[in-house]
Amino acid sequence: QLVAYEVKRMRAEEGNKQKILRHIKELAEKLYKNENPYPAVTMHKVQKPTEGCHLRLHQKPFPRLDEGTVQWIIDQATAKLQTAPPAVKAEKKCMVPSGPPIAAIMERNGNALANSARRLEVVRNCISYVFENKMLEAKKLFPAVLRAMKGRAARHCLTQELNLHVQQNRAVLDHQQFDFVIRMMNCCLQDCTAMDEHGIAAALLPLVTAFCRKLSPGITQFAYSCVQEHV
């Protein structure tokens, strides 16, 4: 029904938080009423006697119950139950029109998808600049790359791109390249969640043992020595 009737209204509300919240509250009430069609029956609480009440002198004897009156009350309640509506709400089947084509709704997500694609492109470009030794261009894109690492797709993209360079035997880096790669790896691992442990973090494991730099003749530093503190 939302897709069929409410698309125009939702578009009109975009950017107006109060209208959106009001709409959400209306939806919430409808959903709640659908799940709880009958109000909860209030239970009468019988009060417990207070401590030490049996020691009081002015105790009244408990009145004798009249059998006929009790039976009449039970019969009344039984009759009410028989005429009560069924506990389960009968489903009313209705036809809902198909509404606008899916493309109309997808347009709203188009910007988000475009933004995601741009972020991945920024990550790829920055890594290319680093390995081509175009450090000025890499520096310009670097803040955007670190921001992009908040997204899982960008973290996955980083592991894929770095893996391509390892396969091309470009794992031995100079000091500046090494610094850029380490900072990207650290940022990527910092934003990883427990869900990424067997995906992104696992994909980085072979890479951190591949990328390295020569500190002096015969002494090589590998990337894992700079990223091994992450959980």
Side-chain angles (χ1 to χ4, degrees):
Q1 284 175 336
L2 277 177
V3 171
Y5 303 124
E6 305 281 344
V7 171
K8 280 184 184 174
R9 179 180 171 183
M10 286 159 92
R11 279 189 175 167
E13 287 172 354
E14 274 180 1
N16 189 329
K17 283 187 181 176
Q18 285 180 329
K19 280 186 180 176
I20 292 171
L21 280 172
R22 198 183 312 136
H23 193 180
I24 290 169
K25 277 180 185 171
E26 284 171 22
L27 283 174
E29 278 172 23
K30 281 183 194 171
L31 289 168
Y32 183 79
K33 280 176 185 170
N34 187 56
E35 294 296 319
N36 305 279
Y38 302 109
V41 179
T42 53
M43 300 295 288
H44 295 290
K45 288 183 180 177
V46 179
Q47 288 185 335
K48 284 185 179 179
T50 56
E51 283 181 26
C53 66
H54 60 285
L55 301 172
R56 289 177 193 157
L57 298 172
H58 57 278
Q59 270 194 322
K60 291 180 182 177
F62 191 80
R64 189 170 180 79
L65 297 177
D66 177 44
E67 195 178 335
T69 310
V70 171
Q71 191 57 50
W72 179 79
I73 292 167
I74 291 169
D75 292 342
Q76 288 277 92
T78 310
K80 267 186 189 174
L81 280 173
Q82 283 169 353
T83 56
V88 179
K89 197 177 179 184
E91 276 188 35
K92 288 180 185 174
K93 290 184 170 65
C94 64
M95 287 295 290
V96 178
S98 59
I102 294 294
I105 298 160
M106 289 301 286
E107 281 171 21
R108 303 176 70 233
N109 300 330
N111 288 341
L113 291 170
N115 282 343
S116 179
R118 274 201 295 272
R119 282 187 194 134
L120 299 188
E121 196 58 36
V122 165
V123 172
R124 288 192 192 100
N125 288 344
C126 186
I127 292 169
S128 296
Y129 290 147
V130 168
F131 283 91
E132 288 163 15
N133 259 322
K134 295 178 180 174
M135 292 307 174
L136 201 62
E137 283 88 344
K139 269 182 187 171
K140 286 175 190 171
L141 293 182
F142 205 65
V145 171
L146 297 187
R147 278 198 302 276
M149 286 299 139
K150 298 278 178 203
R152 197 166 188 211
R155 298 199 289 272
H156 188 62
C157 177
L158 175 77
T159 61
Q160 285 181 318
E161 290 297 308
L162 291 177
N163 192 44
L164 287 174
H165 287 94
V166 168
Q167 288 169 2
Q168 294 164 9
N169 292 326
R170 300 170 76 180
V172 181
L173 311 172
D174 67 26
H175 295 304
Q176 234 180 340
Q177 287 172 324
F178 188 80
D179 183 52
F180 270 95
V181 170
I182 291 298
R183 283 170 71 189
M184 281 190 273
M185 284 178 168
N186 268 323
C187 190
C188 175
L189 286 167
Q190 183 181 312
D191 290 315
C192 275
T193 62
M195 284 170 65
D196 298 322
E197 187 176 340
H198 303 294
I200 288 150
L204 275 176
L205 272 177
L207 300 175
V208 296
T209 57
F211 285 109
C212 61
R213 63 173 169 179
K214 300 283 184 195
L215 293 178
S216 63
I219 297 176
T220 306
Q221 181 187 15
F222 284 90
Y224 68 80
S225 63
C226 302
V227 299
Q228 60 194 6
E229 298 302 317
H230 293 276
V231 179

